[in-house]
Amino acid sequence: MTTDLRVLAESEWACWYGALDLAFGGVPEAPQEQELWRDLVELDRSLGVWDGDACIGTTSAFSFRLSVPGGALVDAAGVTMVSVAATHRRRGVLTSMMRRQLDDVRALGEPLAVLTASEPVIYGRFGYGAATLQMKADIDTTRVRLSVPAGTDDVRLRYAAPADVHAACEELYARRVAGRPGMLARRPGWERHGLLDPESDRAGASSLQCVVAERAGELVGYVRFAVKPDWNWQGPKGAVHVRDIEALDPAAYAALWRFLFDIDLTSSLVARSRPVDDPLLQLVSDIRRCDITVRDSLHVRLVEVGAALEARTYQAPVDVVFEVADAFCPWNAGRWRLTGDTKGASCARTEDVADLALSVRELGAAYLGGVSLASLAGAGRVRELRQGALAEASVAFGSDVAPWLPHGF
């Protein structure tokens, strides 16, 4: 098979995007979705593989800034739109795209690459580790009650057209980013992602609604949601579907959830893609009736081990030498000494004896503080070579709050 891997040209967009649609089932997205992605996609970071006139492989990357432990925003390539035509599977097409893409990411000086996986089993062999989880709650609001903190009644709620308040909501979101690893600092244009609401995706639910929370005239929270009406012989049993919810303090957060629980003619609430330590879990009266499930979310790949480990801080002093295996990006392989604490870190190559042995995939999984090195060691994926090094590093890599990706890309 002779193929041509090249940077996407403007004239090739329709063919390239059509190949992506076909690989994901062949059902075209709504026009407004296609328009959004066309505006957001960076053509010079998009690759296509061509077999003659046919596009048989696609991938792209967004230029992101990712929050890491300590609150810094780190340059990260947001890998997206990866596909291989069913006619060309198992011929090295994906490997060739991943190779070129990671080389390009390194050349741009981005220490991290991140992605969300349609099938998580795919990307481990390229050095990506599942670093965050997302929670889904399907709550029986007829049986579950909320216990709200003091000050909740002082929060004023009002409906607002989502587009009318999106600028203020984006400002509030931006204030939240540094406080939780895994969140993305949204670049101009990405605010449209939260407003995307094609009728074809509603499945019988309402158009997107928005309620804002205010105190003394200042915005302190917002929620975007839809209501799906339903009825049976006994009466109404509609469902509230939460798109996203943010607040600056516990009272505002609780006020928004209380509103969602009390919407007339509904008996359930579905919230997807929430952090696994969501304070909602501490507000509800009966977690068993919240039908909690979790799944992987953001996968992290350290493109430059030294720069990536220096970019974050550590919640306890650490001085450890890693023996890193990285077959796909061999410039990372070898021994690295990490020294750091809550104020900063340094990471450089060393000839010193290794304390821990692991692959770059494990470093990616542990990087945001949501997966402990100790748990990876328990699975046989990290080896302790110096007694005590595992506990030291595992504590240091942790995070006070669970890392979380608020939305896909």
Side-chain angles (χ1 to χ4, degrees), residues 67-130:
S67 178
V68 301
L73 297 178
V74 178
D75 290 336
V79 176
T80 187
M81 299 186 178
V82 182
S83 75
V84 176
T87 53
H88 289 68
R89 295 182 63 209
R90 298 185 177 89
R91 301 189 191 182
V93 174
L94 178 60
T95 299
S96 69
M97 292 192 297
M98 294 292 102
R99 169 78 283 135
R100 168 66 181 274
Q101 188 173 61
L102 285 172
D103 288 342
D104 289 349
V105 171
R106 187 189 188 203
L108 288 171
E110 295 168 325
L112 299 173
V114 297
L115 57 81
T116 60
S118 56
E119 296 179 280
V121 70
I122 294 173
Y123 293 99
R125 69 182 186 271
F126 303 119
Y128 289 87

Side-chain angles (χ1 to χ4, degrees), residues 135 137-140 143-145 276 278 280-293:
M135 178 185 75
D138 192 340
I139 304 172
D140 179 355
R143 303 291 294 275
V144 179
R145 294 290 177 264
V276 294
D278 196 321
L280 172 66
L281 300 179
Q282 310 306 321
L283 297 175
V284 297
S285 60
D286 188 347
I287 196 171
R288 298 182 188 181
R289 297 187 182 277
C290 294
D291 193 14
I292 303 296
T293 56

Side-chain angles (χ1 to χ4, degrees), residues 47-388:
L47 301 172
V49 180
W50 303 82
D51 185 356
D53 293 333
C55 183
I56 52 88
T58 68
T59 189
S60 186
F62 295 115
S63 301
F64 281 148
R65 300 273 284 166
L66 179 75
S67 178
V68 301
L73 297 178
V74 178
D75 290 336
V79 176
T80 187
M81 299 186 178
V82 182
S83 75
V84 176
T87 53
H88 289 68
R89 295 182 63 209
R90 298 185 177 89
R91 301 189 191 182
V93 174
L94 178 60
T95 299
S96 69
M97 292 192 297
M98 294 292 102
R99 169 78 283 135
R100 168 66 181 274
Q101 188 173 61
L102 285 172
D103 288 342
D104 289 349
V105 171
R106 187 189 188 203
L108 288 171
E110 295 168 325
L112 299 173
V114 297
L115 57 81
T116 60
S118 56
E119 296 179 280
V121 70
I122 294 173
Y123 293 99
R125 69 182 186 271
F126 303 119
Y128 289 87
T132 77
L133 297 173
Q134 60 179 325
M135 178 185 75
K136 176 189 174 187
D138 192 340
I139 304 172
D140 179 355
T141 53
T142 68
R143 303 291 294 275
V144 179
R145 294 290 177 264
L146 296 179
S147 177
V148 300
T152 300
D153 292 338
D154 299 329
V155 178
R156 177 178 179 264
L157 303 182
R158 65 177 177 87
Y159 279 96
D164 290 347
V165 294
H166 80 276
C169 292
E170 285 300 298
E171 291 177 6
L172 187 148
Y173 171 87
R175 294 174 62 182
R176 300 276 296 158
V177 169
R180 188 181 287 271
M183 294 184 73
L184 299 172
R186 293 203 277 254
R187 294 178 180 271
W190 277 93
E191 74 282 353
R192 293 166 55 194
H193 185 273
L195 302 179
L196 194 63
D197 184 35
E199 188 172 356
S200 58
D201 288 353
R202 294 175 188 168
S206 71
S207 60
L208 189 66
Q209 301 180 40
C210 180
V211 163
V212 296
E214 297 171 328
R215 185 183 295 109
E218 297 294 326
L219 182 73
V220 291
Y222 67 90
V223 61
R224 299 187 185 115
F225 64 98
V227 177
K228 184 175 182 179
D230 197 8
W231 300 78
N232 63 14
W233 182 254
Q234 285 78 27
K237 59 184 187 71
V240 179
H241 293 265
V242 180
R243 170 81 70 86
D244 53 285
I245 180 171
E246 292 287 350
L248 297 180
D249 57 69
Y253 198 60
L256 289 168
W257 282 112
R258 183 171 65 180
F259 159 78
L260 294 168
F261 269 58
D262 290 344
I263 292 177
D264 285 341
L265 309 180
T266 67
S267 60
S268 65
L269 182 152
V270 180
R272 299 176 182 269
S273 190
R274 301 301 306 156
V276 294
D277 63 346
D278 196 321
L280 172 66
L281 300 179
Q282 310 306 321
L283 297 175
V284 297
S285 60
D286 188 347
I287 196 171
R288 298 182 188 181
R289 297 187 182 277
C290 294
D291 193 14
I292 303 296
T293 56
V294 298
R295 52 163 282 186
D296 65 288
S297 182
L298 190 69
H299 295 235
V300 173
R301 211 279 183 214
L302 276 61
V303 180
E304 292 283 3
V305 164
L309 293 180
E310 285 185 348
R312 55 157 293 179
T313 63
Y314 298 85
Q315 65 174 6
V318 62
D319 184 358
V320 64
V321 175
F322 292 111
E323 180 76 48
V324 179
D326 191 347
F328 202 69
C329 295
W331 58 81
N332 285 323
R335 273 171 276 173
W336 296 84
R337 177 176 288 279
L338 170 67
T339 305
D341 55 24
T342 58
K343 298 179 180 179
S346 64
C347 186
R349 288 199 172 275
T350 182
E351 296 299 322
D352 294 342
V353 176
D355 301 319
L356 296 173
L358 74 177
S359 83
V360 73
R361 181 182 178 187
E362 282 68 59
L363 278 178
Y367 183 72
L368 295 177
V371 177
S372 76
L373 290 169
S375 69
L376 292 167
R381 293 172 55 186
V382 176
R383 291 187 296 118
E384 185 178 48
L385 306 177
R386 172 177 63 82
Q387 187 174 2

